[in-house]
Amino acid sequence: MFTIPDVTLNNGVRIPQLGFGVWQVDAGSVVDVVGTALQAGYRSIDTAAAYGNEEGVGEALRRSGIDRDQLFVTSKLWNSDHGYDATLRAFDASLQRLGLDRLDLYLIHWPLPARDAYVGTWKALERLYADGRVRAVGTSNFQIPHLRRVMEEGGIVPMVNQIELHPRLTQAELRRFHAEHRIATEAWSPLGQGNLLDDPTIGKIADAYGKTPAQTIIRWHLQTGNIAIPKSVTPERIRSNFDVFDFELSSGDVDAISALNADQRFGPDPDTFDVA
Ligand SMILES: NC(=O)c1ccc[n+]([C@@H]2O[C@H](COP(=O)([O-])OP(=O)(O)OC[C@H]3O[C@@H](n4cnc5c(N)ncnc54)[C@H](OP(=O)(O)O)[C@@H]3O)[C@@H](O)[C@H]2O)c1
């Protein structure tokens, strides 16, 4: 039995390098979908208050019978709950929906720079961390100026920044900043929301290893040090996306995939995105 590789965060907590994302997995199917993922071997689940499926994720975790300390559960604070007091309340509500007494990782979902509230929000995450209610805290969609501010005005360096990252958006500058400050890079939409799976370069490399394009991209994430959280509701894809620990891309192939960067986002721009 292999163990899933992990990344040690700047506070010593270990996060599996391959997790399972549940954005757009509807509440009606999430129990089965997460159940399939846990059976396939995933132990890390990435949800958010905004996904509307925390109850089902919690139910799937309980039904699996897997020990809580073998699981890594992430949730995120939604835009409508920024600010110190609202954040503390939103965290309690997420825990309650999940049916858990602590989280492994809690993230600020978006920085919303125009509202200028994220520093207060970050201080609430620091409080939750100090109180032992969450094992690690971090940010999502934070750009370098946002990270600098929470580091300067807060007391701790975020342990994770979860950002859009895939072969068409390799985020070299942000990843360098993360490395300098020991912030782990977590890749959302690691498959480019499925848009990269017919890329000819990726297809050619995948064929050479006898692997699928999705497996090849996931392997690229693992070998470049990212934490990746691919999503699928399709049982066969859920399983095959996890079947990536028996091959290794050459450094030339890793570089060829990195060279596909076109600074192309499939999701919103974090500097301007703001919905309630
Ligand atoms: N922090 C943030 O702001 C943020 C934003 C977006 C996403 N996320 C997180 O990142 C996770 C992953 O991102 P994502 O869901 O946007 O995109 P993704 O994982 O890059 O791609 C998911 C899409 O690819 C398809 N797919 C997955 N495996 C496949 C395979 N082996 N072959 C063919 N198609 C495949 C899925 O289809 P089916 O499901 O139909 O199989 C789905 O349409 C989310 O679930 C969420 O947890 C976070």
Side-chain angles (χ1 to χ4, degrees):
M1 176 72 186
F2 69 89
T3 37
I4 308 166
D6 55 38
V7 167
T8 302
L9 304 179
N10 66 27
N11 66 342
V13 164
R14 286 154 58 165
I15 178 171
Q17 218 188 337
L18 181 57
F20 186 72
V22 297
W23 179 44
Q24 294 178 319
V25 180
D26 61 65
S29 59
V30 74
V31 178
D32 288 343
V33 168
V34 172
T36 302
L38 294 169
Q39 265 174 9
Y42 297 85
R43 291 294 176 267
S44 168
I45 308 294
D46 180 83
T47 185
Y51 300 169
N53 57 22
E54 289 174 309
E55 282 100 340
V57 169
E59 179 62 26
L61 298 175
R62 281 187 296 283
R63 282 193 198 173
S64 74
I66 299 167
D67 285 349
R68 175 68 184 91
D69 63 6
Q70 300 299 306
L71 296 166
F72 194 99
V73 184
T74 301
S75 193
K76 313 185 194 82
L77 173 102
W78 187 237
N79 298 348
S80 46
D81 295 317
H82 267 262
Y84 189 89
D85 293 330
T87 296
L88 298 179
R89 286 194 296 272
F91 177 84
D92 285 342
S94 275
L95 271 191
Q96 194 168 15
R97 286 190 293 268
L98 284 157
L100 297 174
D101 57 9
R102 73 178 154 83
L103 278 185
D104 297 287
L105 178 63
Y106 196 48
L107 305 175
I108 303 175
H109 209 143
W110 291 90
L112 316 175
R115 295 197 209 176
D116 196 20
Y118 62 81
V119 173
T121 303
W122 177 249
K123 288 185 178 170
L125 263 62
E126 292 187 337
R127 158 88 185 274
L128 293 164
Y129 177 65
D131 289 348
R133 305 197 62 211
V134 55
R135 294 172 65 226
V137 285
T139 53
S140 179
N141 300 302
F142 274 42
Q143 307 277 47
I144 291 173
H146 315 139
L147 290 169
R148 279 197 201 286
R149 265 196 78 198
V150 295
M151 291 189 320
E152 281 163 15
E153 297 180 43
I156 57 179
V157 176
M159 288 129 203
V160 171
N161 190 25
Q162 184 186 113
I163 54 172
E164 181 177 351
L165 201 173
H166 43 69
R168 295 253 183 85
L169 182 68
T170 54
Q171 300 266 25
E173 191 189 358
L174 194 45
R175 289 179 80 247
R176 258 194 310 277
F177 184 87
H178 290 170
E180 260 170 48
H181 297 280
R182 298 197 56 219
I183 300 168
T185 302
E186 184 165 35
W188 66 252
S189 296
L191 305 173
Q193 302 182 356
N195 292 303
L196 305 184
L197 301 176
D198 56 5
D199 179 278
T201 302
I202 291 169
K204 203 167 139 214
I205 294 172
D207 288 347
Y209 293 87
K211 291 288 176 178
T212 68
Q215 288 169 327
T216 303
I217 296 172
I218 292 167
R219 195 65 223 175
W220 172 82
H221 282 288
L222 300 180
Q223 290 183 222
T224 51
N226 301 330
I227 301 156
I229 46 170
K231 167 265 182 187
S232 175
V233 295
T234 313
E236 190 41 48
R237 292 174 178 175
I238 293 171
R239 286 189 281 271
S240 71
N241 290 351
F242 193 76
D243 182 18
V244 292
F245 301 112
D246 63 348
F247 76 113
E248 191 166 350
L249 299 172
S250 70
S251 60
D253 287 334
V254 169
D255 291 347
I257 296 172
S258 301
L260 297 173
N261 180 52
D263 294 334
Q264 181 184 1
R265 291 185 186 279
F266 296 108
D269 180 344
D271 281 319
T272 52
F273 179 71
D274 188 346
V275 297

